Amino acid sequence: MTGTADGPGAAAARLTGRPVTGRSPLSGALTEVTLDDGRVVVVKRGDAPGAVCAEAAGLRWLAGTGTVRVPAVHGHDRRWLVTDRVPQGRPSPRAAVRFGRGLAALHAAGAPAFGAPPPGGPAEAYIGLAPMRNVPGTDWPRWYAEHRVLPYLRRAVDDGTLRPAETAVIERALDRLPELAGPAEPPARLHGDLWNGNVLWGADGEVRLIDPAAHGGHRETDLAMLRLFGCPHLDRVLDGYREAAPLADGWADRIGLHQLFPLLVHTVLFGRGYAGQAVAAARGAGR
C-alpha cells in the first residue's frame, strides 16, 4: 500500500527504510502513513525549491535546544519531509505555562545574527508559501525593515494590493523604527511563523511546534505572532515566558511593529483583507 512511485507512501518507505501498511490523506500536501512496525508518521510534500530543506533544517535547529518540542524528522529529500505524528490533546493552562517557559529558553538559545538561517538551511527560505530571504545583519531595526517588511511591502504595492496612502503610513513607521524598537537585544532563535495553527497541543500535555520559518530574529516577533491570530491560554503562555525571561519595558506597545511582517506576508498571499490590518498596526506602532 505504498501508493504511486513518487507518492507519500513511497516517500515514507524510502526515507524511513520501513514498509508502509496504510495511508490517510490529511490535506493536499499532508498524509499520515502507517509503517509496518505500527508507527504513524506524517509525510509532507513541498514543491517550492528548497522548501523541504529549509523546514527540516529549521526543525532540527529548534530541536537541538532541548526546549519546546518539535516532531522528530525521520528523513527528507527535495520534495518530501517525514516527521513524527503528534497525537492531539486539549490546550490546558499548565501546558501553556510550560510552553511559555520553553519558548523563552528556545529564544535564549540564540542565533549567530539577525536573519541567520538554521545550519544547513538555505538562505532562500519560506514563511508559509511566501519566499523569505535569510540575510544576516547586526542592527535589528535596519535588518527588520530591509529584509522582513520592505520585500512584502514592495510586492503588495507592485500587485496593487496596497494603496499609496496606506503605503506611506507603513513607510513612516519604518522611518521611525530605530526609536520605536525598544532596547537592543541579542538575536534570538525564532520559530519564525508562530501562529496558533503551528502550535500543536499534544495528548501528553506538551506543546509541539510545526512548520517553522526558523531564523535569527527579535524574540518579540514570535510573541507578537502568537497574539496576532489568537492562541489558547495566551496569558498563561506569557506568564510562563516572563517567569523565565522578563520582557523589556514597553514590549506590549511594540506588538504592532512586530506584526507588520506577518501581516504584510498575508497581504501578499491573500489580498486586501489583511492590508487594513497592516496599516492599522503601522499606525498604532507610530503613536
Side-chain angles (χ1 to χ4, degrees):
M1 296 181 64
T2 60
T4 62
D6 62 347
R14 182 176 72 255
L15 293 170
T16 65
R18 306 291 313 192
V20 168
T21 61
R23 297 185 304 145
S24 178
L26 300 176
S27 69
L30 293 175
T31 303
E32 285 188 352
V33 173
T34 304
L35 306 178
D36 70 334
D37 59 5
R39 287 181 297 153
V40 180
V41 295
V42 172
V43 182
K44 181 176 181 178
R45 189 185 75 240
D47 295 324
V52 171
C53 177
E55 184 170 341
L59 287 169
R60 287 172 171 147
W61 196 43
L62 302 183
T65 66
T67 57
V68 183
R69 300 184 185 187
V70 300
V73 176
H74 293 294
H76 69 92
D77 58 20
R78 291 184 178 181
R79 191 181 184 200
W80 300 100
L81 173 68
V82 181
T83 64
D84 277 341
R85 180 189 63 162
V86 179
Q88 299 277 330
R90 290 186 176 181
S92 73
R94 286 186 178 183
V97 171
R98 287 196 299 271
F99 171 39
R101 292 173 183 154
L103 185 60
L106 171 64
H107 290 163
F114 299 111
E124 302 293 338
Y126 296 85
I127 177 166
L129 297 175
M132 182 186 79
R133 294 194 71 217
N134 283 320
V135 178
T138 56
D139 178 75
W140 183 78
R142 181 181 300 175
W143 170 84
Y144 181 69
E146 184 175 350
H147 298 293
R148 287 297 178 267
V149 178
L150 284 173
Y152 307 98
L153 179 63
R154 291 170 182 145
R155 171 72 181 274
V157 169
D158 290 346
D159 291 346
T161 312
L162 273 176
R163 295 164 182 159
E166 295 169 330
T167 303
V169 172
I170 297 173
E171 289 175 336
R172 284 195 293 271
L174 294 183
D175 288 341
R176 296 184 58 199
L177 203 54
E179 68 181 270
L180 298 173
E185 296 210 2
R189 190 170 306 195
L190 297 191
H191 175 279
D193 192 9
L194 197 58
W195 72 288
N196 182 51
N198 288 339
V199 179
L200 301 186
W201 301 81
D204 60 358
E206 298 294 334
V207 163
R208 270 84 167 174
L209 302 182
I210 61 170
D211 296 349
H215 62 278
H218 197 302
R219 61 188 180 135
E220 292 176 8
T221 303
D222 265 356
L223 298 179
M225 198 174 294
L226 270 182
R227 186 178 291 275
L228 181 58
F229 299 115
C231 175
H233 306 296
L234 180 57
D235 288 345
R236 301 305 303 274
V237 174
L238 293 172
D239 287 345
Y241 191 102
R242 287 177 290 186
E243 286 174 12
L247 291 161
D249 289 346
W251 70 272
D253 297 329
R254 295 186 290 272
I255 289 172
L257 195 67
H258 290 272
Q259 289 178 344
L260 271 178
F261 167 42
L263 283 171
L264 285 169
V265 170
H266 277 70
T267 301
V268 166
L269 291 176
F270 305 116
R272 276 203 58 80
Y274 291 96
Q277 288 181 257
V279 173
R283 187 174 284 118
R287 287 176 182 166

